[in-house]
Amino acid sequence: MLKKNTQHEKVSHRKPVVLMSMGAQERKGHDYQVMTVKYIKPLAEHAGCVPLLAPTCCGSEDIEQYLSMVDGVYLTGAGSNIDPALYGQENLTPDKQQDPNRDNFDIPLIHAALKMGLPIFAICRGMQELNVALGGDLHQKLYAEPNMLDHREDGDESVDEQYADAHQVRLVSNSWLSKLLEAEEIPVNSLHGQSIKTLGAGVQVLAHAEDGAIEAIHLPEVEQFTLGVQWHPEWKAAQNPNSIKIFAAFGDACRLQVQARS
Ligand SMILES: N[C@@H](CCC(=O)NCCCC(=O)O)C(=O)O
């Protein structure tokens, strides 16, 4: 009987594991590391990945070990601002919360993940981190810039109202994102006071808001999937076909990574 040579047919059927870095929160005098459920669920349900939550409070020395266990990196939004010293500016919003541990974990994490060829999907603060890690900078108060709209949510509204579509974004024509979403323009929610000002090395724009604010980026010179969006596709993702497509595309890229490693 002929023996089938399975050596070249090794296909791994395990789900991709994706690292999510947690953020700091203080509650009743105790320091917590947290992650919002709205970010976790679409990664499992629409990307088909296994979320692995990494605390950012223990320094960055174990980053390579974390990355050796995962097939992708997912950088979420968070209320805290990135320390402007990391992009060479004085702090213009000293009243706003910062999270130096997350900054100090995520910046080297991004460099290491890029070096390892891991897919990266970044939302809101995560997209800003991706740009800062590559030497770009931010508008610290987008709302105070001439001719720019106020992209912040109204804190007095209900959460549903805060995350409702707020404006259109125009996708760069013929880009992979416009092809994926089969659209030139999509409506998005908007909950940020800061935004990308100068692009980092290798960063390219994939979408703009009506006022010119940068709404989506990628790194076309690297081989792996990279996407940063300033809006929140994680919010009620199951009800938004564009969000489902974005999470599925990230999941597909992580599945390719699983195969590449098997
Ligand atoms: N502080 C930055 C980043 C904004 C951001 O990530 N917001 C997320 C809000 C909370 C959440 O939905 O997780 C800025 O203001 O631009």
Side-chain angles (χ1 to χ4, degrees):
M1 198 166 90
L2 277 178
K3 241 186 177 176
K4 204 170 173 192
N5 181 358
T6 52
Q7 210 58 10
H8 302 291
E9 296 173 6
K10 216 168 135 195
V11 175
S12 175
H13 293 293
R14 71 170 175 82
K15 286 188 190 175
V17 180
V18 170
L19 183 148
M20 303 176 69
S21 29
M22 298 161 86
Q25 203 172 87
E26 193 271 334
R27 275 185 236 154
K28 296 186 180 169
H30 290 280
D31 291 328
Y32 286 74
Q33 283 282 292
V34 298
M35 175 53 65
T36 325
V37 171
K38 69 173 174 143
Y39 289 113
I40 302 173
K41 285 211 158 183
L43 181 66
E45 291 170 3
H46 302 297
C49 298
V50 177
L52 181 75
L53 273 61
T56 53
C57 56
C58 303
S60 57
E61 70 186 63
D62 294 325
I63 278 175
E64 305 246 323
Q65 190 158 346
Y66 275 113
L67 291 181
S68 71
M69 298 187 281
V70 302
D71 309 294
V73 169
Y74 173 35
L75 303 168
T76 67
S80 58
N81 285 344
I82 299 171
D83 180 357
L86 292 170
Y87 49 90
Q89 293 181 16
E90 296 285 317
N91 188 2
L92 305 180
T93 61
D95 49 320
K96 289 279 178 193
Q97 185 203 345
Q98 292 190 5
D99 188 346
N101 285 336
R102 181 162 160 178
D103 292 345
N104 295 333
F105 187 84
D106 281 5
I107 303 287
L109 178 79
I110 289 166
H111 287 288
L114 286 173
K115 210 163 135 197
M116 288 174 66
L118 294 173
I120 300 178
F121 178 32
I123 294 178
C124 207
R125 186 197 213 267
M127 163 169 127
Q128 296 170 359
E129 288 172 359
L130 184 57
N131 189 55
V132 168
L134 294 168
D137 67 3
L138 304 180
H139 289 295
Q140 292 187 49
K141 294 181 176 181
L142 182 61
Y143 45 90
E145 294 296 320
N147 305 320
M148 300 309 271
L149 301 171
D150 190 344
H151 288 242
R152 294 172 297 179
E153 71 278 25
D154 179 347
D156 291 333
E157 289 186 335
S158 69
V159 178
D160 273 331
E161 286 169 327
Q162 290 178 30
Y163 281 86
D165 289 341
H167 62 77
Q168 294 290 115
V169 300
R170 175 151 281 278
L171 306 171
V172 169
S173 262
N174 282 321
S175 62
W176 69 265
L177 188 60
S178 73
K179 288 177 188 159
L180 175 75
L181 303 181
E182 298 173 286
E184 296 283 311
E185 217 173 273
I186 59 165
V188 298
N189 51 27
S190 187
L191 298 94
H192 59 107
Q194 308 200 322
S195 80
I196 293 178
K197 181 181 178 195
T198 315
L199 293 170
V203 180
Q204 248 182 42
V205 176
L206 279 170
H208 285 104
E210 296 129 325
D211 59 1
I214 294 172
E215 290 280 344
I217 56 168
H218 68 153
L219 311 178
E221 287 156 26
V222 301
E223 267 187 33
Q224 71 259 45
F225 175 104
T226 52
L227 176 63
V229 295
Q230 190 59 73
W231 69 91
H232 287 270
E234 83 286 354
W235 176 252
K236 298 197 171 166
Q239 295 172 23
N240 185 326
N242 292 327
S243 304
I244 293 174
K245 285 181 193 167
I246 289 173
F247 276 98
F250 177 55
D252 288 345
C254 296
R255 273 179 284 283
L256 281 181
Q257 182 62 22
V258 171
Q259 296 312 329
R261 293 177 103 153
S262 65

